[in-house]
Amino acid sequence: MAQDLVGFSSDYQFWMQKLSLWDQASTLETQQDTCLHLPRFQEFLRQLYEVLKEMDSNTIIERFPTIGQLLAKTCWNPFILAFDESQKILMWCLCCLINKEPQNSEESKLNSWTRGLLSHILSGFRFDTKEVGLFTQGLGYVPADYCPGLLKNMVLSLVSELRENHLNGFNTQRRKKISLPTSAVVCLWLRHLPSLEKATLHLFEKLISSERNFLRRIECFLKDSLLPEAACHPAIFRIVDEMFRYALLETDGAPEVLVAVQGFTRCFVEALEKKNKQLKFTFKTYFPYASPSLVTVLLQRPEDIPQELWHQPLKHISEMLREIVEDQTHGSYGGPFECWFLFIHFGGWADIAAEQLVMSEAEPSEALLWLLAFSCSPHDGSPQRAQTMVEVKAVLSRLKKLLRSPILSAKDLQAAAAESQDRDPRPPLCQQLIRRLLLNFLLWAPGGHVNAREVIALMAPSDEIAHDMTGFLDQTLYRWDHLRMEAPRSRKLARELLAELRMVGTAMQGPGSPRPRDVMRRPFLRGMSAENEP
Amino acid sequence: MESLLQHLERFSELLAVSRTTHVSTWDPTTVRRALQWARYLRHVHRRFGRHVRIRTALERRLRSQWRQKGASGSAAVPGLNFQALGRCDLLLSLRLLENRALGDAACHYLLQQLFPGPGVPDADEETLQGSLARLARRRSAVHMLLFNGYGENSVLEESVLKTQAELLLERLGEVPKAEAEGRSRFLSTLWDRLPQKNFLKVIAAALLLPPSSPRPQGEELELDTPKTPGEGGQELVHWLLARSDVMAAFCHDLPVGLLASVAGRHPEFSRAYLGLLTDWGRHLHYDLQKGTWVGAEPQHVSWEELYGRFQSLCQAPPPLKDEVLTALESCKAQDGDFQVPGLSIWTDLFLALGSGS
């Protein structure tokens, strides 16, 4: 008990000093310091109350001669009073000082002083001008009547200011400005989940409703939203990631969401690298359910590895994924959906795998084939996946033969990609994969000049497919920029095809026409995910 | 019913007394009884809030109790209304706490009742202790936000105006429609009594409140009170238009953009405002030497100001913008439909706006 009191005494001294320092919380620094200490100070107030309630007024003054100062300074600090239950506990403490029957003038004065402080806490802080005070009085209202409404209006108006600033980018000149530094925004998100969710939803709306197939703009939106940077805090990353996962499931794996996830991850990794010196968290904190070695390999940047050696990490990734996916017991790393969700964060690897398969002279490697098949159809059982791999292999070998011909025609390509008549028709996702391989081939094959328009006409008979191809080309060009790949002829061709597709796209889309619906959906994602709740 | 009404009367008297030095005669028992009465009325509020007849009767009795203030013998200052009954114990407690005349023993008892400490079970859904703590918390929060420079002041100043506007409309709504001219008279009294600059700003804020904002307590009753600011707003506009002196002050003192917003929302106001502007315009004549339009007397509005106001109105979305241009055109036509500057102020305005818009 004695030891408690000793500990308490030193706490008391500590807080007395702090309160003197904070004064009335007038500068930014004192305000920040105050806010950081609010929970601990409240604890101290509780302990103080427990001590004071056992004593009578005179004993309190004897034991704590400076208690008056402590309580007064606390009463004048609006930050303390606005926090949680501090104001209530403070009032309890003050009540302990009240003397029921003051015997002398000193005790009377103490009573009076204490009542003054209590009154101040409840009615003291002025928040209106003289004019406003006269107005409200004239209407017959007291502050207790309108204070809640006033606070609500103030908070609503601040929140909508912040939201407007956020939607329009913090750099916009506004008539009324609230500029929060990034660190403050992150603080808000860390403490108030609904704000974070709203910010993420706004980002989704922006990414998904407009500017499809313009990765550069998507990257701008992402960076402006401050979310990738904020996601360096694992807590924020996990929540945003969860929202992405949900969006993916709800939209059956819509391509826009995939692109958004990849873009977000790219910006996030970039932000993480910038903070490298202060990096406190291991990758496991961001991806707790994934295999650490897999995450490490996925996080490697292809631009840091010589192109000739890309097949190594690809093989590694493929093998690790395959092991997890084909493990019947589902181990501790989740099932196919979790693996796939993790993998598509770093979707660039799948694109590189496709390129490698098309460009290399050697036999297509099983690992790469598996990786591609998995990435496009994660839900497939082993037989279907094997079938896809066989089909792709067949198309690739036909394409390799075409490599030797000096002139390529669109019809040649079509023939190479043709489905064999005696088998089941290819599922749409497999068809999409084949189409992308064809495009890759087109971009890299040295032979002849192909008529871009002819190609598009043959390969993109419908809006959806044209849309898919536009996205693919945009992503490819973007990737080449990032990897600094020199390929002037390929780039030129890619840009031509992209321009052609975009023109066709806008021609097809009249003012009132509905947006092209994507057939590349994966409704089975839901089934996959449900069984793998960790 | 009658006993309830008597109770209400006695409590109102009690509330009035609680601010005076008379409380020096109170002992703990008196305080206890006062708090009990308050608690009872709170219970009544909760219980009969949706019971139309009882509520109406109570409101009527409360209204009749509003005492006159000031020597001018003008209308009564509003006081306790039915909604306030929901926190009458809070109001009473605050008055007693602030009253230095309250004796030590009574005060000590009061504090025990108000702040019993932690671990008190919540028989009632809401304790007085909780309400008081919440009030203190909110007051500090408002003070903190206002005086720590979050954003520019205009963001929060608007909130203060908006709150005042909500209060105004609430009181306006309490004046029964049945009373002939009751609401106009009420507004006129306020105009005479309250600081006028602020009042004008509050009127503008009230006229711009979103039409769907619900009343604070959100209780739906079929009484003759306006349920939405929309109705109250209408009454305000009517009063404003009927009082040419207030209207002139309103249009002179408030920022031009704000007036344009009000005009955009209230067609009657926009018509009257345009009328005022045309009046002002007629007072200007062309000074050949200076090469500009000037007023005959110093209080007449200047060309720049007139132009600024018309410009601001033209920046509003249709139909206001179109209305304004039509009005200008017709003035221009009436004046002789000149195309060259310097002959008719309406032509000049039209020309100046045309190049801008």
Side-chain angles (χ1 to χ4, degrees):
Chain A
M1 181 61 174
Q3 211 170 22
D4 281 353
L5 278 179
V6 164
F8 184 75
S9 284
S10 79
D11 280 348
Y12 185 97
Q13 293 310 320
F14 172 76
W15 290 113
M16 270 301 282
Q17 278 184 335
K18 271 295 187 193
L19 284 167
S20 305
L21 193 66
W22 295 340
D23 192 26
Q24 293 175 40
S26 39
T27 70
L28 185 61
E29 287 74 29
T30 53
Q31 285 171 17
Q32 284 178 337
D33 195 44
T34 312
C35 291
L36 285 173
H37 285 88
L38 287 170
R40 280 173 58 195
F41 184 67
Q42 181 163 292
E43 261 320 293
F44 167 72
L45 281 178
R46 271 192 219 276
Q47 289 170 10
L48 180 64
Y49 172 66
E50 293 299 318
V51 169
L52 293 181
K53 76 178 190 195
E54 306 298 331
M55 311 175 181
D56 73 49
S57 171
N58 291 323
T59 323
I60 295 178
I61 302 294
E62 259 178 74
R63 179 73 189 77
F64 301 105
T66 56
I67 189 104
Q69 263 188 63
L70 183 109
L71 293 174
K73 284 188 203 282
T74 311
C75 287
W76 282 94
N77 193 318
F79 285 78
I80 297 178
L81 294 186
F83 177 71
D84 200 28
E85 299 191 312
S86 295
Q87 73 293 126
K88 190 160 64 175
I89 306 170
L90 180 61
M91 290 196 276
W92 294 339
C93 294
L94 284 169
C95 288
C96 296
L97 284 177
I98 295 283
N99 208 313
K100 191 165 163 189
E101 283 161 13
Q103 301 294 334
N104 52 48
S105 72
E106 297 233 335
E107 292 177 8
S108 279
K109 266 197 229 150
L110 178 63
N111 264 12
S112 181
W113 178 89
T114 312
R115 283 166 68 169
L117 276 187
L118 278 166
S119 186
H120 166 80
I121 295 175
L122 287 163
S123 322
F125 281 115
R126 300 253 31 97
F127 51 76
D128 38 26
T129 59
K130 186 150 175 269
E131 279 196 330
V132 174
L134 285 170
F135 182 86
T136 50
Q137 267 175 44
L139 284 180
Y141 288 113
V142 293
D145 291 320
Y146 58 85
C147 190
L150 176 59
L151 184 60
K152 182 170 140 203
N153 283 341
M154 284 168 68
V155 171
L156 281 177
S157 106
L158 283 173
V159 166
S160 70
E161 259 313 285
L162 275 176
R163 197 178 297 143
E164 269 181 60
N165 270 351
H166 194 254
L167 282 180
N168 294 325
F170 283 96
N171 300 323
T172 317
Q173 279 294 327
R174 296 196 59 76
R175 182 172 54 92
K176 302 179 282 190
K177 255 192 299 190
I178 300 182
S179 46
L180 286 186
T182 309
S183 56
V185 174
V186 175
C187 272
L188 172 68
W189 286 342
L190 280 169
R191 280 162 179 72
H192 188 235
L193 182 59
S195 312
L196 175 59
E197 287 173 344
K198 278 216 172 92
T200 314
L201 284 172
H202 277 139
L203 177 62
F204 281 9
E205 272 169 29
K206 249 190 170 161
L207 291 180
I208 289 166
S209 65
S210 65
E211 318 297 356
R212 290 170 90 197
N213 299 329
F214 280 94
L215 274 176
R216 286 206 185 286
R217 287 191 209 162
I218 288 181
E219 196 175 277
C220 282
F221 289 147
L222 280 164
K223 292 206 171 129
D224 280 346
S225 75
L226 300 184
L227 281 167
E229 198 182 319
C232 294
H233 284 265
I236 293 183
F237 179 86
R238 299 273 295 278
I239 289 175
V240 176
D241 203 43
E242 189 61 35
M243 291 176 79
F244 271 122
R245 173 200 307 256
Y246 190 73
L248 212 55
L249 286 170
E250 283 298 301
T251 59
D252 296 333
E256 301 96 314
V257 182
L258 282 175
V259 165
V261 174
Q262 284 170 26
F264 176 81
T265 313
R266 224 183 348 255
C267 296
F268 158 69
V269 168
E270 219 179 280
L272 208 56
E273 265 151 29
K274 281 203 194 117
K275 295 189 188 237
N276 207 8
K277 299 187 186 86
Q278 307 127 33
L279 192 64
K280 301 163 252 178
F281 308 103
T282 64
F283 291 137
K284 196 163 170 59
T285 15
Y286 299 102
F287 302 102
Y289 305 121
S291 139
S293 35
L294 178 56
V295 172
T296 315
V297 177
L298 285 170
L299 273 167
Q300 282 180 294
R301 303 195 318 170
E303 51 261 44
D304 293 337
I305 309 171
Q307 196 170 336
E308 314 82 74
L309 297 178
W310 281 352
H311 63 277
Q312 281 180 354
L314 282 172
K315 185 157 172 281
H316 210 172
I317 293 170
S318 176
E319 280 166 2
M320 279 196 273
L321 280 173
R322 191 164 188 171
E323 200 183 307
I324 300 171
V325 167
E326 290 180 352
D327 171 12
Q328 294 296 345
T329 66
H330 288 167
S332 57
Y333 294 132
F337 176 75
E338 288 305 322
C339 283
W340 182 76
F341 184 56
L342 173 67
F343 180 62
I344 56 114
H345 278 74
F346 306 95
W349 286 112
D351 298 331
I352 293 176
E355 236 171 38
Q356 292 276 297
L357 274 175
V358 164
M359 286 164 67
S360 102
E361 310 241 319
E363 274 284 302
S365 94
E366 284 293 303
L368 292 187
L369 286 172
W370 188 93
L371 191 62
L372 277 182
F374 173 69
S375 119
C376 95
S377 284
H379 62 291
D380 279 345
S382 299
Q384 294 97 312
R385 190 162 296 139
Q387 171 69 9
T388 306
M389 286 161 69
V390 159
E391 298 249 4
V392 170
K393 200 166 174 180
V395 169
L396 282 170
S397 80
R398 276 177 250 150
L399 286 175
K400 296 288 160 65
K401 291 206 186 87
L402 284 178
L403 264 177
R404 288 176 208 110
S405 63
I407 297 168
L408 282 172
S409 80
K411 283 228 163 69
D412 292 330
L413 286 176
Q414 214 189 14
E419 301 179 47
S420 79
Q421 300 298 335
D422 53 352
R423 289 225 177 91
D424 295 327
R426 282 185 200 135
L429 288 167
C430 180
Q431 194 73 304
Q432 177 196 43
L433 176 58
I434 304 273
R435 227 181 352 255
R436 290 184 171 203
L437 286 172
L438 282 184
L439 273 178
N440 262 319
F441 179 78
L442 202 58
L443 295 173
W444 289 108
H449 300 289
V450 190
N451 186 315
R453 276 202 200 124
E454 221 186 290
V455 170
I456 303 292
L458 275 179
M459 286 178 66
S462 75
D463 284 3
E464 298 100 282
I465 296 180
H467 220 85
D468 175 56
M469 285 169 66
T470 314
F472 171 77
L473 287 165
D474 184 51
Q475 283 170 49
T476 305
L477 280 166
Y478 184 81
R479 181 166 38 88
W480 288 347
D481 282 340
H482 266 256
L483 297 180
R484 276 168 241 126
M485 279 173 73
E486 301 281 340
R489 195 194 69 86
S490 310
R491 273 177 194 260
K492 179 162 176 286
L493 182 55
R495 278 200 214 107
E496 273 173 26
L497 287 169
L498 191 58
E500 186 63 34
L501 278 167
R502 284 204 171 125
M503 233 168 39
V504 167
T506 47
M508 278 194 206
Q509 236 183 319
S513 64
R515 300 183 60 80
R517 265 215 71 231
D518 285 289
V519 293
M520 324 304 172
R521 300 292 199 184
R522 300 174 171 84
F524 20 70
L525 278 187
R526 268 182 248 236
M528 281 172 70
S529 147
E531 62 185 274
N532 292 323
E533 292 300 305
Chain B
M1 187 64 201
E2 188 50 39
S3 72
L4 176 56
L5 291 175
Q6 277 182 6
H7 210 102
L8 194 60
E9 283 231 24
R10 259 182 280 150
F11 181 75
S12 298
E13 283 166 12
L14 189 71
L15 205 57
V17 164
S18 65
R19 271 207 178 133
T20 69
T21 52
H22 188 72
V23 299
S24 57
T25 64
W26 288 18
D27 60 6
T29 323
T30 329
V31 174
R32 194 185 80 227
R33 233 182 297 131
L35 288 176
Q36 272 174 349
W37 285 8
R39 220 179 342 239
Y40 171 64
L41 283 171
R42 237 189 76 192
H43 167 78
V44 164
H45 171 264
R46 214 169 43 245
R47 176 88 175 72
F48 297 115
R50 296 187 193 277
H51 196 294
V52 175
R53 268 188 26 231
I54 298 189
R55 180 177 168 146
T56 320
L58 288 172
E59 287 195 332
R60 213 176 291 135
R61 186 59 70 99
L62 281 169
R63 249 198 310 280
S64 72
Q65 284 170 3
W66 293 349
R67 299 270 179 268
Q68 292 192 8
K69 274 226 176 104
S72 51
S74 48
V77 176
L80 210 58
N81 62 10
F82 185 79
Q83 266 172 30
L85 281 186
R87 47 176 183 269
C88 63
D89 53 350
L90 183 72
L91 295 173
L92 177 66
S93 312
L94 285 172
R95 288 183 185 213
L96 289 176
L97 274 175
E98 286 169 37
N99 196 336
R100 293 321 198 113
L102 191 67
D104 288 308
C107 182
H108 182 256
Y109 176 80
L110 176 68
L111 288 174
Q112 270 185 332
Q113 296 306 302
L114 297 182
F115 303 113
V120 174
D122 243 341
D124 209 321
E125 72 294 345
E126 210 183 74
T127 62
L128 197 43
Q129 179 171 261
S131 313
L132 287 164
R134 248 195 320 277
L135 177 66
R137 190 172 177 193
R138 283 172 174 152
R139 278 191 83 122
S140 316
V142 171
H143 175 96
M144 196 178 90
L145 286 175
L146 279 178
F147 296 114
N148 286 293
Y150 293 112
E152 300 186 355
N153 278 330
S154 61
V155 175
L156 297 172
E157 256 172 45
E158 280 179 27
S159 314
V160 176
L161 281 172
K162 185 172 177 225
T163 311
Q164 290 176 80
E166 286 167 353
L167 294 176
L168 175 65
L169 289 176
E170 189 175 294
R171 281 303 189 210
L172 191 60
E174 285 167 6
V175 180
K177 256 190 173 146
E179 252 175 63
E181 300 295 317
R183 289 179 181 179
S184 303
R185 248 189 297 124
F186 174 65
L187 288 169
S188 294
T189 317
L190 289 178
W191 173 251
D192 293 334
R193 224 199 285 137
L194 301 177
Q196 291 183 342
K197 264 190 99 171
N198 184 53
F199 191 41
L200 290 173
K201 288 193 237 173
V202 173
I203 293 177
L207 293 177
L208 291 173
L209 279 177
S212 56
S213 66
R215 298 199 59 188
Q217 303 300 343
E219 293 178 23
E220 307 296 327
L221 287 178
E222 278 113 56
L223 296 178
D224 53 1
T225 54
K227 292 192 191 63
T228 63
E231 266 186 63
Q234 281 296 86
E235 314 239 353
L236 263 181
V237 170
H238 288 153
W239 174 78
L240 186 60
L241 296 185
R243 293 281 305 253
S244 56
D245 55 336
V246 182
M247 178 67 175
F250 189 78
C251 296
H252 255 124
D253 288 359
L254 293 182
V256 158
L258 185 61
L259 290 170
S261 303
V262 174
R265 280 266 243 124
H266 298 269
E268 292 171 326
F269 174 81
S270 76
R271 280 193 284 278
Y273 184 39
L274 274 175
L276 204 64
L277 288 178
T278 42
D279 254 353
W280 291 351
R282 291 208 182 90
H283 283 126
L284 298 181
H285 65 270
Y286 195 72
D287 185 320
L288 277 168
Q289 273 194 323
K290 291 190 188 149
T292 180
W293 293 86
V294 293
E297 277 148 58
Q299 73 264 28
H300 290 153
V301 126
S302 72
W303 158 262
E304 287 76 23
E305 201 187 316
L306 196 64
Y307 171 68
R309 286 169 183 272
F310 273 105
Q311 189 187 42
S312 157
L313 286 171
C314 287
Q315 282 167 356
L320 179 62
K321 173 178 176 160
D322 302 322
E323 261 180 55
V324 173
L325 288 173
T326 313
L328 266 181
E329 266 179 350
S330 91
C331 284
K332 173 168 164 268
Q334 279 180 1
D335 233 15
D337 209 12
F338 295 110
Q339 304 298 331
V340 284
L343 295 165
S344 158
I345 190 168
W346 309 115
T347 304
D348 285 21
L349 276 171
F350 202 74
L351 289 173
L353 287 168
S355 50
S357 51

